[in-house]
Amino acid sequence: MSFLTSLVERLRAAGCVFAEEEADLLVAAAEDDGHLADLAARRIEGEPLEMVVGWAEFCGLRMRVGEGVFVPRRRSEFLAHEAAALTPRAGAVVVDLCCGVGALGAAVAAAVGAGVELHAADIDPSPLAYARLNVAPYGGLVHEGDLYAALPAALRGRVDVLVVNAPYVPTEEVGLLPSEARDHEPLVSLDGGADGLDIHRRVAEGAREWLAPGGHLLIETSERQSPSTAAAFTTAGLAQVRTTTSDELYATVVIGTA
């Protein structure tokens, strides 16, 4: 039996549905046989594949990730597409708040093209080293801090698109998440408070101060929580509040305008 065949069987036994594809990715990421053995052991022990190989595909791009960060989800590609569609082409200011590894901001900038002024911010310092790598091709700047407190004051009233994938899992439901998330990703990127919407409300409350006239706030949420997220937008004084969904990606986004 070849090593690759053995690896596929071990991955399948560990519950990896796409064992063949995962084996190919592990082989491609390995520097030598010893490294491959280490990578395989990490995956078999349940570490997310993206953390093991060091990247995640998002909107057709390779986003750098590593141990202990939130891995960009495919459903969030819908949020990126919606944000890109609302981004003016010339000189737009885009902020990826609660950015994690900066995947949303990078994807929006890549879709819109040259001329975007990109900023990404997060309270957790762990993913920001990866965020710097991911937004660098688009001239993006990364900031550390609690929501708007992280942003340069010069951005106040200038943001055309504020795109946010804040945690929205209710605290009591975090334990129900797949083990790859609850055991390997930081709690701060998952736990959204009692009803899951603590950060959504805080983002909405501060948005008008930072958005340019006609600027847009977009937040990913769940279908079940979307009425409450939309209500937070309305309470905060945002206009033209609407909810849009993708059945294909099982994704829900609430959008409001300054």
Side-chain angles (χ1 to χ4, degrees), residues 37-240:
D38 290 340
L39 296 182
R42 288 169 58 190
R43 180 58 183 141
I44 289 167
E45 289 170 4
E47 190 171 343
L49 177 66
E50 295 85 356
M51 293 182 188
V52 174
V53 300
W55 60 273
E57 183 176 349
F58 188 78
C59 292
L61 304 170
R62 278 196 177 192
M63 301 296 175
R64 297 285 296 276
V65 302
E67 294 181 61
V69 305
F70 180 83
V71 176
R73 309 297 201 253
R74 184 166 181 263
R75 67 172 172 269
S76 298
E77 292 182 356
F78 181 62
L79 175 58
H81 292 152
E82 292 292 298
L86 292 172
T87 303
R89 289 299 192 269
V93 176
V94 175
V95 171
D96 179 359
L97 203 60
C98 303
C99 70
V101 299
L104 281 169
V108 172
V112 174
V116 169
E117 181 183 340
L118 175 61
H119 296 263
D122 201 285
I123 193 171
D124 183 2
S126 300
L128 294 184
Y130 300 102
R132 291 184 181 92
L133 295 173
N134 292 327
V135 305
Y138 316 101
L141 298 176
V142 173
H143 314 282
E144 180 183 342
D146 185 14
L147 298 181
Y148 300 107
L151 300 179
L155 289 180
R156 191 173 279 109
R158 293 184 54 234
V159 178
D160 296 295
V161 171
L162 178 59
V163 59
V164 185
N165 185 15
Y168 55 92
V169 179
T171 300
E172 65 179 13
E173 296 179 18
V174 171
L176 304 177
L177 292 172
S179 62
E180 289 189 3
R182 68 173 187 267
D183 294 339
H184 296 279
E185 295 180 327
L187 185 62
V188 69
S189 69
L190 302 171
D191 189 345
D195 66 351
L197 301 179
D198 284 358
I199 308 301
H200 286 197
R201 283 185 283 269
R202 290 183 59 205
V203 169
E205 287 168 4
R208 290 180 64 198
E209 180 181 352
W210 293 87
L211 289 172
H216 304 285
L217 168 63
L218 303 90
I219 292 183
E220 179 178 299
T221 189
S222 70
E223 182 177 7
R224 171 173 58 90
Q225 294 164 301
S226 61
S228 297
T229 300
F233 278 40
T234 301
T235 298
L238 294 169
Q240 302 174 36

